[in-house]
Amino acid sequence: MYSQSAKVQISGKITTPNKEIVDFATVHLKGTNYAISTNQQGMYTIEAPAGNYTIVVSSVGYTKTEKQIKLVSGKNIVLDIQISSNGTDLNEVVVQSNAVNRLRESAYNAIAIDTKALHNTTLDLAGALAKAPGMKIRESGGVGSDMRLMMDGFTGKHIKVFIDGIPQEGVGGSLGLNKIPINYAERIEVYRGVVPVGFGTDALAGIINVVTNRNKQSWFLDASYSYGSFNTHKSYVNFGQTLKNGFTYEINAFQNYSDNSYKVDVAVEEFLGPSYTDGSKFSDKNIQHVKRFHDNYHNEAVIGKVGVVDKKWADRLMLGFTYSHSYNEIQNGVLQKIVFGGKFTKGHSIMPSLEYRKRDLLTKGLDVTLTANYNKNIVNNVDTSSYKYNWKGEKQKMSAPGEVQYQDSESENNNWNGTFTTNYRLGIHRFTFSHVTNNFRRKNTGTAGSSGTPLSYAIDKETNKNISGLSYLLMPSEVWNVSVFGKYYNQHVAGPVSTSTSNDNYVRNTSNVSSFGYGAAGTYFFLRSIQAKLSYEKAYRLPTNEEMFGDEDLEHGEFTLKPENSDNFNFSLSYSHRFGKHSVYGEGGLIYRNAKDYIQRSVQENTIAAKSYATYQNHGKVETKGYNLSLSYGYSDWVNVTGTYTQIDTRDNVKTLEAGSDQVSTSYGVRMPNVPYRFANSDVTLFWHNLGKKGNVLTFTYDNMYVHEFPLYFENQGSRDKRVVPTQFSHNLSVAYSLENGRYNLSFECRDFTNEKLYDNFSLQKAGRAFYGKFRIYLGGK
């Protein structure tokens, strides 16, 4: 029996032998109900009556540790405890630290990608994401091209992006995931399907959270430069310092430049040759191997932060400022047969920001995070050429300027974002409340078209979005935990609506929508080596600004779009084990999505090819079923092998042509178009340690990506059923040599070394075989 006298406090910090923090570990007094989980700094505090106890510390991926303690009335104890990894987290790509343990221990279907293992490559953040199961990166071309994420059959705006938990809505094209170098992140967290309330988002498919390194040395410098095919230059520098008084600053700067002058196979319109039998000079059969000649891209960005850390009133208070600039020549439209020689876009953005974080604010267990930013993003669309071009770079004088539509316009996009998140830990219970607000306003100026009637660009576009969430998490032990949550969504929209069938006259209109969502997630460990996860969410996604208002160029918006909603189910089993120098990890997951008012992006082809553009519409009901598998094997610190396989079946679930009709839709039960449904990747990495000198490491990696052919249109639409993106199987090789424990690093890569023809969005061809080299230096001091 324990004394019922005044309670004694025992507190401390849980770390590894390498001094790494172990956050969200379970700490409890054996045989009692006194338990708590560590916070993000690895700290814990327990109050219990005086007596003799055994304190137990456990966390997924670590060996359970027990210590005998004696609590004496009136004497609080500080006890720091070290726990060691049990070696079950093996994958070089998956973080082998407390971060992945926290994700795996949670009930959410989530993984963490260790970007530190990729810092010597020329990959960007999007390239690293392609290694995750269920993820597919879809790019329309080379460096700086349009990029869309695909996760478990959902794509584009169905997936939300965060950096350090801060939503990245409206940040501008220069800060897209395929523009930010891999060195910017310490890891990338991928939540699939059901999303924790703390992110406060309306994602339908899941989220991507880029996590930067916040536990750096007192001073540091990480700089790199790479050069490769198609005159591609990339550079990155990150430096900063933290003083003993808590003052800290950090600068991130990067740039990308490429001519994107790779060759493509495309139908060419012959300006100088004879006409065909139909009188035209264009034939789909006139396929030629030509070089892209108008696809230069470059962007630059500087991200600065200054503030204080580890104060009594703030764990972290940072003021930030981001500036970015981009220039992008437009080589082709939404279809590759459309070619331009004068169109381009340019833009810049400025973004001041504020971040405040405090643990145990006012009382033990109460953590608060507050962020805010304002982003002014200016985009110029220029289409003033008086010439029409073909894929050979030849040109013909046109009767009027404008390769698509004459314009020299400027869009001023103003975005305000704010987040508030609070967590309250009470023993084995945790409560989370979050609120996210986003306000957007776009103003257009300049010349667009020749008509004197009010066009859509002349009317401001506005949205005001607010999402609130509340969750409860029960963590009684390291064996199982369960969470339930609810969300409230609200959006106000104002923008142009056409008053005529010819879309040449617009008036301002407004609309308001609101919805409630809810869900639950739970996990259970069998024998500590097998974990089961089950989660469900009634999820909603509000239409984005691009979907409702377009981009004032090749993307046409639809103001009347309704929010999507989906019943999302996830179930997964994972197994990890180590025997001697061998380690294995395997995971399999089942997914089910039943989406309503699904927002679909499609291409409208007019009789004049150059007028083709992308549109958005609420398709109705879409059902998705699928599974994914991932496996990894490691032998000591010499070999690592990983692989993933994804099978996703996304089909039209609308039975009738229209409401109240008995006529069955011809596309009912047919696979949704332009959605890859079977893809896989694998890689093999070999390590040669202490080559030439102790601390040097030579790394050799082979990886590949397989994508099965998929249709561009509904498979039952007559002759279009033959229009598919073909099966692709690409291979990459890389070698890296790291000297003096990572201080100096050299790497060389050959991507797509078999020169496979690679396609993606609506059959737009990407670069083939390419070579890159990179030099990186990392310096740091205590």
XYZ file of all heavy atoms in Angstrom, residues 120 691 693 695-699 736-746 776:
161
model
N 22.553 14.498 -49.876
C 23.629 14.573 -50.857
C 23.143 14.336 -52.285
O 23.940 14.310 -53.222
C 24.738 13.573 -50.520
C 25.491 13.972 -49.264
O 25.575 15.157 -48.940
N 26.027 13.007 -48.552
N 36.086 4.309 -45.982
C 36.843 4.151 -47.221
C 37.869 5.278 -47.334
O 37.525 6.443 -47.469
C 35.893 4.170 -48.422
C 36.561 4.080 -49.802
C 37.301 2.752 -49.948
C 35.516 4.247 -50.914
N 39.594 6.666 -45.155
C 39.853 7.272 -43.859
C 38.648 7.032 -42.963
O 37.514 6.947 -43.440
C 40.105 8.779 -44.014
C 40.457 9.494 -42.732
C 40.677 10.987 -43.005
C 40.987 11.733 -41.715
N 41.171 13.198 -41.965
N 35.542 7.606 -40.896
C 34.525 8.641 -41.011
C 34.073 8.905 -42.423
O 33.084 9.623 -42.638
N 34.778 8.335 -43.410
C 34.354 8.470 -44.803
C 33.378 7.354 -45.163
O 33.511 6.227 -44.684
C 35.550 8.411 -45.747
C 36.503 9.577 -45.551
O 36.225 10.502 -44.778
N 37.637 9.522 -46.226
N 32.418 7.656 -46.022
C 31.427 6.655 -46.433
C 31.160 6.790 -47.935
O 30.885 7.895 -48.424
C 30.096 6.807 -45.668
C 29.101 5.737 -46.131
C 30.297 6.729 -44.176
N 31.254 5.685 -48.652
C 30.861 5.624 -50.056
C 29.496 4.943 -50.128
O 29.316 3.852 -49.594
C 31.884 4.841 -50.882
C 31.561 4.710 -52.380
C 31.685 6.063 -53.073
C 32.485 3.684 -53.037
N 28.556 5.598 -50.790
C 27.193 5.076 -50.892
C 26.828 4.906 -52.361
O 26.990 5.830 -53.170
C 26.189 6.036 -50.229
O 26.575 6.277 -48.881
C 24.786 5.440 -50.252
N 27.601 8.465 -53.996
C 27.965 9.607 -53.160
C 29.153 9.234 -52.282
O 29.239 8.103 -51.782
C 26.785 10.046 -52.298
N 30.049 10.176 -52.117
C 31.217 9.969 -51.253
C 31.228 11.073 -50.204
O 31.306 12.260 -50.529
C 32.502 9.997 -52.074
C 33.741 9.585 -51.307
C 33.711 8.523 -50.400
C 34.948 10.252 -51.506
C 34.855 8.133 -49.720
C 36.101 9.868 -50.822
C 36.044 8.801 -49.920
O 37.173 8.413 -49.238
N 31.112 10.663 -48.941
C 31.056 11.591 -47.819
C 32.360 11.508 -47.036
O 32.784 10.421 -46.632
C 29.871 11.231 -46.912
O 29.794 12.099 -45.808
N 33.019 12.639 -46.815
C 34.310 12.681 -46.155
C 34.210 13.397 -44.812
O 33.387 14.311 -44.632
C 35.354 13.407 -47.027
C 35.685 12.804 -48.393
C 34.740 13.339 -49.467
C 37.126 13.129 -48.781
N 35.070 12.954 -43.891
C 35.200 13.575 -42.575
C 33.844 13.695 -41.881
O 33.432 14.777 -41.451
C 35.878 14.935 -42.689
C 37.310 14.850 -43.219
C 38.041 16.182 -43.137
O 37.588 17.053 -42.361
O 39.051 16.325 -43.822
N 33.162 12.548 -41.773
C 31.884 12.458 -41.055
C 30.837 13.427 -41.612
O 30.053 14.022 -40.859
C 32.096 12.714 -39.565
C 32.952 11.645 -38.911
O 32.645 10.453 -39.002
N 34.031 12.059 -38.260
N 30.834 13.564 -42.933
C 29.790 14.355 -43.576
C 30.117 15.806 -43.789
O 29.267 16.570 -44.259
N 31.350 16.232 -43.490
C 31.693 17.636 -43.700
C 31.752 17.979 -45.185
O 31.248 19.019 -45.610
C 33.025 17.955 -43.029
C 33.540 19.364 -43.329
C 34.682 19.767 -42.431
N 34.211 19.975 -41.068
C 34.946 20.559 -40.114
N 36.177 20.969 -40.384
N 34.461 20.726 -38.907
N 32.353 17.140 -45.998
C 32.446 17.356 -47.439
C 31.787 16.182 -48.149
O 31.997 15.021 -47.775
C 33.908 17.483 -47.871
C 34.669 18.527 -47.089
C 35.590 18.139 -46.115
C 34.452 19.880 -47.305
C 36.294 19.087 -45.385
C 35.151 20.835 -46.585
C 36.062 20.436 -45.616
O 36.746 21.378 -44.889
N 31.006 16.494 -49.187
C 30.228 15.465 -49.859
C 30.207 15.699 -51.363
O 29.988 16.825 -51.829
C 28.783 15.462 -49.341
C 28.715 15.356 -47.829
O 28.672 14.267 -47.279
N 28.680 16.505 -47.148
N 30.449 14.618 -52.109
C 30.373 14.644 -53.562
C 29.390 13.569 -54.023
O 29.385 12.457 -53.472
C 31.736 14.377 -54.194
C 32.801 15.471 -54.064
C 34.153 14.895 -54.479
C 32.449 16.665 -54.939
N 28.527 19.341 -51.701
C 27.889 19.856 -50.492
C 28.896 19.925 -49.358
O 29.730 19.028 -49.196
C 26.713 18.962 -50.087
C 26.076 19.333 -48.743
C 24.860 18.483 -48.457
N 24.331 18.716 -47.110
C 24.363 17.841 -46.122
N 24.862 16.620 -46.328
N 23.890 18.144 -44.926
